[in-house]
């Protein structure tokens, strides 16, 4: 990694660290330079506004995740859904775990709304590009757009739960659970009365 890239990474790491300590609008350039252990002129050589740093952090996190998921299925394009975990699902949770400090910061700070929207948009695009065979069940017609939304928000919900529990479960456990959640067939439900 070149010296310029290393400096930019230090600035991005500083922002991620600071997001857990204070709201984004209260983070100053001085905060960033102090945390990154660089001077102001070095900062301004790489960035002008802190919003640029934030955008880069978000775009790189999401872009890298989607690249890893797409690359995991290059060698084999078709998969039977038999409760086996898809390679893309493994990559998803391995990536989140590897960069858990980033995801925790981006999803538990005041920039979470912006990050969630970008994350959901990217996941929906990823899922939308997958050809899914719902098994020819004539009894139920699955709307692909609704299914895409369902999958994206399910993934986000699991990631937020994982963060809330301080990454208690392993990446493979979450991968297995997501596979089960997305492909389970519910045979029946029973409702109980309140207080009984």
């Amino acid at each position: 990694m070149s010296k310029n890239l290393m400096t930019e990474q230090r600035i991005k790491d500083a922002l991620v660290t600071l997001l857990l300590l204070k709201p984004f609008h209260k983070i100053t350039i001085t905060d960033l330079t102090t945390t990154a252990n660089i001077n102001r002129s070095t900062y301004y050589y790489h960035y002008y506004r802190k919003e640029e740093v934030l955008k880069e952090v978000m775009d790189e996190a999401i872009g890298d995740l989607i690249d890893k998921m797409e690359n995991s299925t290059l060698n084999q394009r078709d998969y039977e859904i038999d409760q086996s975990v898809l390679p893309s699902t493994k990559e998803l949770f391995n990536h989140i775990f590897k960069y858990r400090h980033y995801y925790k910061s981006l999803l538990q700070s005041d920039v979470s709304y912006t990050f969630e929207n970008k994350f959901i948009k990217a996941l929906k695009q990823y899922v939308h590009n997958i050809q899914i065979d719902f098994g020819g069940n004539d009894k139920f017609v699955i709307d692909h757009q609704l299914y895409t939304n369902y999958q994206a928000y399910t993934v986000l919900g699991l990631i937020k739960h994982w963060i809330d529990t301080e990454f208690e479960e392993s990446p493979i456990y979450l991968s297995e659970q997501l596979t089960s959640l997305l492909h389970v067939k519910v045979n029946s439900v029973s409702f109980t009365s309140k207080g009984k």
Side-chain angles (χ1 to χ4, degrees), residues 80-143:
E80 294 294 321
I81 302 301
D82 59 359
Q83 296 304 314
S84 296
V85 176
L86 295 174
S88 55
T89 305
K90 288 180 187 174
E91 283 298 331
L92 167 77
F93 289 106
N94 285 333
H95 183 273
I96 300 294
F97 189 74
K98 182 177 180 180
Y99 298 101
R100 59 192 173 273
H101 179 66
Y102 267 58
Y103 283 94
K104 182 175 182 174
S105 179
L106 292 169
L107 287 168
Q108 289 192 327
S109 66
D110 65 333
V111 300
S112 65
Y113 180 77
T114 303
F115 182 71
E116 285 179 22
N117 285 335
K118 286 177 173 263
F119 187 82
I120 288 293
K121 183 178 179 182
L123 273 183
K124 284 174 21 178
Q125 184 63 46
Y126 176 80
V127 174
H128 181 75
N129 291 333
I130 299 172
Q131 298 295 319
I132 300 172
D133 177 4
F134 291 108
N137 187 341
D138 295 334
K139 188 174 179 182
F140 300 104
V141 177
I142 307 287
D143 181 309

Side-chain angles (χ1 to χ4, degrees), residues 140-166:
F140 300 104
V141 177
I142 307 287
D143 181 309
H144 191 68
Q145 185 175 358
L146 291 176
Y147 184 76
T148 297
N149 277 291
Y150 169 71
Q151 277 203 320
Y153 283 99
T154 299
V155 167
L156 179 62
L158 281 176
I159 292 167
K160 290 175 86 169
H161 162 78
W162 204 19
I163 291 168
D164 289 344
T165 61
E166 297 292 329

Side-chain angles (χ1 to χ4, degrees), residues 56-71:
E56 228 175 82
V57 166
M58 290 182 180
D59 291 348
E60 285 178 8
I62 293 168
D64 190 43
L65 172 63
I66 298 300
D67 285 348
K68 295 264 193 252
M69 291 170 65
E70 288 174 344
N71 289 337

